[in-house]
Amino acid sequence: MNLKKMCCALGLLPALLIAQTTVTVDTNNPGSQINKNIYGQFMEHLGRGIYEGVWVDDDSNIPNTNGYRNDVVQALRELKVPLLRWPGGCFADQYHWQDGIGPRDQRPKGVNTTWGGVIEPNSFGTHEFLNFAEMLDAEVYVNGNLGTGSPKEMAQWLEYMTSESDSTLANMRRQNGRDKPWRVHYFAIGNESWGCGGSMSPEYYGNLYKHFATFLKTPANNRPVLIASGGYDHHLDWTEHLSSLEQNFAYRLEAIGHHYYTLPTGDWDKKGSATAFPEREWISTLSRTLAMKDILEQNLAILEKNDPQNKIGFYVDEWGTWYDVSQGDPGFLYQQNSIRDALVAALNLNLFHQHAERVQMSNIAQMVNVLQAMILTDQEKMLLTPTYHVFRMHNVFQDATYLPVSLTGNPEYTLEEYSIPKVSASAARDNSGKVWVTVVNTHPRESETVEMAGKYSSLVGEVLSADKMDAHNSFGAPNAVAPVEFKSTASGGKLRFKLPAKSVLVAELK
Ligand code: AHR
């Protein structure tokens, strides 16, 4: 008989049945720095992610500055976006960079054969992307075209972006309005090369990687971290093969990009709905997203074996929820975003914090109007999603130092065949010495009494919660799900608080 049933059988007061989780933050044994790029964003030429979502052209009625919509830029500035990945995704392996430079009205129009078969106007290209990143003070991750490109095309793109010389390509950049080179922090060779990027085996890709990387030269003060397109889900063969490639003077392999999406059902033909779902799909979604733990641990074990000196980063450069499309062109991957997505985000961020030594980047898919977006737009209207709020609340963790956390008394939340921990938490110390904690309650109906072990006098921050499992923001009610201030003061030497059902808390421990 479990404790709850036993208490009921004995007729004890319901108050005694409330479970209590104790969170202990080990401030004496700090771990790695949480790379700010764990909070990276991904923007692809897909649906309304860039066109309308970010870029509206400078003759649009939507308020903009040089073509970038003002409301979105302001929201992203408040988010403190550290890193932007572009132009794909699958689109990257069909993108030819020379189509996206020069006078916009003279750029060729292509067909986006990957996403909806729509016309790609190429009005958002290299200059528009790199200038956008500068506006946001974000680092850049450019994904090169391995699938339909050549080593020459890839090498020339890097030369165009980074060369300070008098070369024809550098001068072409100057003629197109950019005198000094841009800083390119990260560059990837292909995307999902096991699938949309060319249906390759790890061995075939490994050879191509070495071939292409050999020719990617940049000035010494502007060398991007070179990223190999890695595996997906629980597949380990890409990490195994790529991390065992010998490295030499001719080429580098400095990071592996792995992808994992969370589907409520796990079935790509019937993924599940973004809203109006049963509790079974609440817990199945959170349970499937927590599979990220095993994915990280299994891949990191391979890297420990093949790269014990930790030279190769493990980047989760695509992750997030993926639901059935309920509105618009099915190729546009537009979906609503609810409090469930907020919890998915917070649970994954806790896992990334916990593995910060090797997981030095992640890019949630995608920033605006696509999959688990921060921002949704409808022409001139814009709203911030619950996932945005989680990212904004968490920005105190960017570049903070991870502090180990242990949980005791943490009950399981169980439904049918699913069972997940009710509470998840992580902590860090920021550069000014403040200690931050994030605590998630995965239960959709029950609050949790949480105690912070140690001599703290108070906890001050914000909590995001909602009444319904699919609570979300709409253009009619854009603030239906929004964080509120949260404060708890110690009493009798104990810092205890009630964490609402389905909630994410980020707070400073004082
Ligand atoms: O994010 C949407 C798509 O998901 C990306 O283009 C691709 O890399 C992945 O399959």
Side-chain angles (χ1 to χ4, degrees):
M1 183 181 276
N2 66 25
L3 181 65
K4 197 164 180 176
K5 283 186 184 149
M6 192 168 74
C7 291
C8 291
L10 294 173
L12 297 178
L13 291 172
L16 295 179
L17 302 179
I18 296 172
Q20 182 179 294
T21 300
T22 301
V23 178
T24 307
V25 179
D26 185 353
T27 50
N28 294 324
N29 290 294
S32 302
Q33 188 177 45
I34 296 170
N35 195 313
K36 66 182 192 302
N37 290 336
I38 281 173
Y39 290 85
Q41 298 288 334
F42 171 32
M43 53 192 294
E44 178 168 13
H45 290 242
L46 195 179
R48 295 183 295 116
I50 291 176
Y51 299 114
E52 185 193 308
V54 168
W55 179 258
V56 288
D57 263 314
D58 45 15
D59 58 355
S60 169
N61 291 332
I62 298 174
N64 69 86
T65 303
N66 301 328
Y68 306 97
R69 55 187 296 165
N70 294 341
D71 51 359
V72 170
V73 167
Q74 189 192 329
L76 294 175
R77 282 201 174 118
E78 281 162 26
L79 201 56
K80 295 201 169 84
V81 175
L83 169 83
L84 289 168
R85 175 178 184 237
W86 172 84
C90 296
F91 183 80
D93 282 297
Q94 72 166 96
Y95 185 62
H96 300 283
W97 67 272
Q98 296 242 18
D99 293 346
I101 57 169
R104 281 194 282 277
D105 58 357
Q106 291 169 30
R107 296 184 192 174
K109 288 186 168 53
V111 178
N112 189 334
T113 52
T114 311
W115 301 117
V118 295
I119 290 295
E120 166 54 55
N122 280 308
S123 42
F124 192 91
T126 300
H127 289 248
E128 289 76 15
F129 169 66
L130 294 170
N131 292 343
F132 178 55
E134 279 190 351
M135 285 168 74
L136 297 181
D137 200 18
E139 295 191 351
V140 298
Y141 169 174
V142 176
N143 205 123
N145 177 351
L146 174 76
T148 63
S150 64
K152 178 180 177 186
E153 183 185 10
M154 202 180 271
Q156 289 190 332
W157 195 8
L158 272 174
E159 181 185 335
Y160 183 87
M161 293 186 284
T162 64
S163 177
E164 296 165 2
S165 76
D166 192 30
S167 76
T168 301
L169 283 170
N171 284 327
M172 196 190 291
R173 183 193 69 230
R174 294 185 184 102
Q175 277 155 24
N176 289 331
R178 175 72 184 200
D179 187 16
K180 62 175 183 141
W182 292 279
R183 176 82 176 91
V184 177
H185 306 83
Y186 300 89
F187 192 88
I189 300 180
N191 167 74
E192 292 195 352
S193 300
W194 44 265
C196 66
S199 307
M200 302 173 195
S201 66
E203 293 74 21
Y204 183 72
Y205 173 81
N207 286 336
L208 283 183
Y209 182 92
K210 291 195 276 187
H211 179 176
F212 276 60
T214 300
F215 297 98
L216 301 184
K217 311 278 192 226
T218 58
N221 63 356
N222 198 352
R223 279 167 47 134
V225 172
L226 288 187
I227 306 171
S229 167
Y232 63 104
D233 299 353
H234 291 273
H235 299 270
L236 302 174
D237 47 347
W238 284 74
T239 302
E240 179 70 73
H241 183 70
L242 294 173
S243 61
S244 64
L245 289 178
E246 79 288 359
Q247 306 219 30
N248 64 28
F249 66 93
Y251 70 89
R252 300 166 282 137
L253 189 157
E254 296 167 299
I256 297 173
H258 193 95
H259 295 179
Y260 176 57
Y261 283 99
T262 301
L263 282 59
T265 62
D267 177 355
W268 282 96
D269 293 329
K270 206 172 181 316
K271 297 179 265 299
S273 171
T275 54
F277 49 82
E279 186 177 334
R280 182 182 164 76
E281 286 186 19
W282 169 275
I283 191 169
S284 68
T285 304
L286 301 189
S287 172
R288 286 180 199 286
T289 222
L290 286 169
M292 183 70 87
K293 179 173 188 291
D294 284 346
I295 291 172
L296 295 180
E297 287 173 359
Q298 289 165 7
N299 280 283
L300 299 195
I302 291 171
L303 287 167
E304 279 306 307
K305 169 173 68 80
N306 291 348
D307 173 41
Q309 291 177 312
N310 198 6
K311 289 187 177 153
I312 302 176
F314 189 72
Y315 298 172
V316 186
D317 55 1
E318 286 186 30
W319 64 276
T321 54
W322 195 321
Y323 305 126
D324 293 324
V325 173
S326 57
Q327 191 186 322
D329 187 321
F332 283 12
L333 308 187
Y334 177 85
Q335 63 189 36
Q336 247 303 350
N337 190 294
S338 73
I339 186 72
R340 178 176 61 170
D341 295 84
L343 269 82
V344 165
L347 292 173
N348 280 286
L349 293 169
N350 276 344
L351 291 169
F352 299 150
H353 292 173
Q354 286 156 14
H355 296 90
E357 188 179 4
R358 188 77 82 156
V359 180
Q360 294 145 8
M361 180 196 290
S362 96
N363 304 81
I364 189 168
Q366 299 190 5
M367 190 165 71
V368 187
N369 286 335
V370 176
L371 298 176
Q372 191 176 346
M374 307 291 119
I375 293 173
L376 301 177
T377 67
D378 179 9
Q379 294 298 323
E380 75 289 354
K381 289 177 268 185
M382 182 203 83
L383 64 79
L384 307 177
T385 66
T387 301
Y388 174 97
H389 293 306
V390 166
F391 269 66
R392 211 266 307 131
M393 289 158 66
H394 276 71
N395 64 29
V396 292
F397 288 95
Q398 293 187 18
D399 283 342
T401 302
Y402 178 69
L403 297 171
V405 165
S406 57
L407 302 177
T408 52
N410 185 8
E412 286 286 296
Y413 156 45
T414 303
L415 184 76
E416 298 172 16
E417 73 269 37
Y418 295 102
S419 187
I420 60 175
K422 187 173 177 188
V423 176
S424 152
S426 67
R429 182 181 277 122
D430 72 17
N431 293 334
S432 69
K434 291 179 181 168
V435 174
W436 295 90
V437 64
T438 170
V439 192
V440 181
N441 179 358
T442 63
H443 203 296
R445 290 171 280 103
E446 291 178 9
S447 63
E448 175 70 359
T449 303
V450 176
E451 180 173 324
M452 298 303 309
K455 293 197 171 86
Y456 298 109
S457 59
S458 67
L459 169 143
V460 181
E462 291 176 283
V463 70
L464 186 72
S465 183
D467 290 345
K468 294 191 184 144
M469 289 185 296
D470 69 343
H472 56 273
N473 295 331
S474 62
F475 296 105
N479 296 314
V481 184
V484 293
E485 284 180 14
F486 191 92
K487 182 165 183 183
S488 173
T489 309
S491 147
K494 292 198 183 306
L495 180 56
R496 273 192 191 157
F497 57 91
K498 192 182 261 191
L499 190 62
K502 45 177 144 34
S503 68
V504 178
L505 168 77
V506 175
E508 184 192 349
L509 278 172
K510 300 187 183 209

